[in-house]
Amino acid sequence: MGKDLSLEFTDPQAYIESLDQVKFSYSLSSEEKIAMHYSRIHVINDLVMTFSDHEASTGYFTNEHRHQKYFGLRFIRSGRERHSYNGQSTLLDKEECLFFDLSGKGGYRRLSRVEGINLLLPHDVLASKIPKMTDFCFRLDCRQGLGKVVIEYTFLLEDQLIGLSQDERVIVMDNYLDILCQWLIQSENQLPNQQNTLLFAQIQDYLTHHLSNEELNLSSVANHFNLSPRTIQKLFCEQGLTFSKYLVNERLRHAAQDLLSSQLSITEVALKWAFCDTSYFCRKFKEKFDRTPSVYIKEYRDSLCSESVKRISCPLKQ
């Protein structure tokens, strides 16, 4: 695929294959009959911009450039989705933007129909415009001020790129990046202490590796990191979460995977993920997934024998 082009898609498989040609692996799985309504890909030198209008779906997005680091910006004009990058999980709502270090595989879950733009930038491009460039991942509000100008400009620019000449595209994009980077610098200065962000990521990683330990709780985590329980709670509060709900939901998420991929019984899965009371496990499972574990397993097995669920996917390079 060339260094300067714009392509339009209504076929999700063609969109997936075109992204793969610019070394970004992408997978899409949806229960909707029409998973993707419309998409575009723009390539300007090493910069990649994509527009997509997708129904509720899940999948992964991976940077396959082995010798070139990329940062990503995900702008949402409508809809709601959750992203997971480098151990951090972020809920993204309409008129918000996620800025993240795309150094590995990221996961997403669209919770509704979503209109969004991905802007994928080589590290060198941003480093030349942002002094003291660091690795971070944060959510940005685009509902007011410069953020509102940036998101409106982003969607307007993407819509017009396909009609511009190569020289015009380079000039317009360079001017756009100047405004974008000024906004990022301004936003970074207004963020909570970056040490808190790093500490929260470390706590998430610790929890992930100790979920099956029934003695894992707020006090034990606070002791491990030599912090007060109140400090731990505050870190979760800054992310719009509570410690207890996060811990239960992570255990339930892993339990749900085991119910489908292992031969363990419901009771055995509950015990494996530190739910000592099976009835409590089933109650919490139903609260999260809107079905009991037994119904969850049955629906999955039925789907294996049915063609009623349409799935579109492109295997990621492991």
Side-chain angles (χ1 to χ4, degrees), residues 29-273:
S29 179
S30 176
E31 295 184 357
E32 302 296 333
K33 291 183 178 180
I34 300 177
M36 185 185 83
H37 295 277
Y38 191 75
S39 289
R40 287 186 290 261
I41 296 177
H42 308 280
V43 179
I44 304 172
N45 294 325
D46 291 324
L47 179 152
V48 178
M49 177 181 275
T50 71
F51 167 85
S52 62
D53 180 358
H54 283 91
E55 291 291 344
S57 50
T58 60
Y60 294 95
F61 196 84
T62 308
N63 173 20
E64 297 289 351
H65 294 78
R66 298 185 182 278
H67 304 294
Q68 189 169 25
K69 185 173 184 177
Y70 269 78
F71 284 95
L73 289 102
R74 172 65 172 169
F75 293 91
I76 296 294
R77 182 159 62 183
S78 63
R80 203 169 187 233
E81 58 190 27
R82 180 170 289 280
H83 290 263
S84 300
Y85 288 101
N86 299 328
Q88 296 189 52
S89 179
T90 305
L91 182 64
L92 202 61
D93 214 331
K94 64 179 181 178
E95 298 181 307
E96 289 185 337
C97 172
L98 180 66
F99 183 38
F100 55 93
D101 172 7
L102 185 54
S103 58
K105 181 188 293 185
Y108 70 86
R109 181 179 182 83
R110 296 187 184 96
L111 305 176
S112 63
R113 182 173 178 175
V114 174
E115 253 190 324
I117 284 177
N118 291 319
L119 180 61
L120 310 173
L121 298 163
H123 175 271
D124 292 346
V125 172
L126 285 183
S128 66
K129 294 177 179 292
I130 300 180
K132 300 179 181 179
M133 186 72 189
T134 56
D135 298 349
F136 43 85
C137 172
F138 54 82
R139 186 179 59 208
L140 297 161
D141 188 352
C142 302
R143 298 181 182 89
Q144 57 187 353
L146 186 55
K148 186 173 180 63
V149 173
V150 169
I151 192 171
E152 290 178 353
Y153 188 13
T154 301
F155 278 90
L156 177 63
L157 173 65
E158 187 282 325
D159 187 52
Q160 297 298 316
L161 277 177
I162 202 165
L164 299 178
S165 69
Q166 180 176 351
D167 290 342
E168 288 172 332
R169 286 153 64 93
V170 172
I171 293 171
V172 169
M173 184 57 68
D174 195 53
N175 290 333
Y176 166 74
L177 290 177
D178 285 340
I179 297 173
L180 176 70
C181 289
Q182 286 301 313
W183 177 53
L184 292 175
I185 293 170
Q186 179 190 93
S187 300
E188 186 183 9
N189 291 335
Q190 297 171 353
L191 287 173
N193 190 314
Q194 289 298 313
Q195 290 183 343
N196 285 357
T197 302
L198 177 61
L199 178 58
F200 181 75
Q202 292 173 342
I203 292 172
Q204 282 186 304
D205 184 65
Y206 178 79
L207 292 177
T208 298
H209 288 88
H210 295 83
L211 285 174
S212 60
N213 184 353
E214 62 184 43
E215 295 183 358
L216 182 69
N217 55 38
L218 179 59
S219 295
S220 67
V221 174
N223 289 335
H224 176 81
F225 287 93
N226 197 26
L227 298 169
S228 70
R230 174 60 185 158
T231 299
I232 300 290
Q233 290 174 325
K234 185 178 179 181
L235 288 170
F236 276 83
C237 185
E238 287 178 357
Q239 303 295 324
L241 304 166
T242 66
F243 176 87
S244 58
K245 188 170 183 179
Y246 178 87
L247 180 58
V248 169
N249 282 342
E250 283 299 292
R251 283 171 165 165
L252 288 171
R253 186 170 64 83
H254 282 76
Q257 293 173 354
D258 274 353
L259 288 173
L260 302 184
S261 61
S262 74
Q263 300 299 315
L264 298 175
S265 68
I266 292 174
T267 298
E268 288 171 332
V269 168
L271 291 173
K272 176 181 176 180
W273 296 108

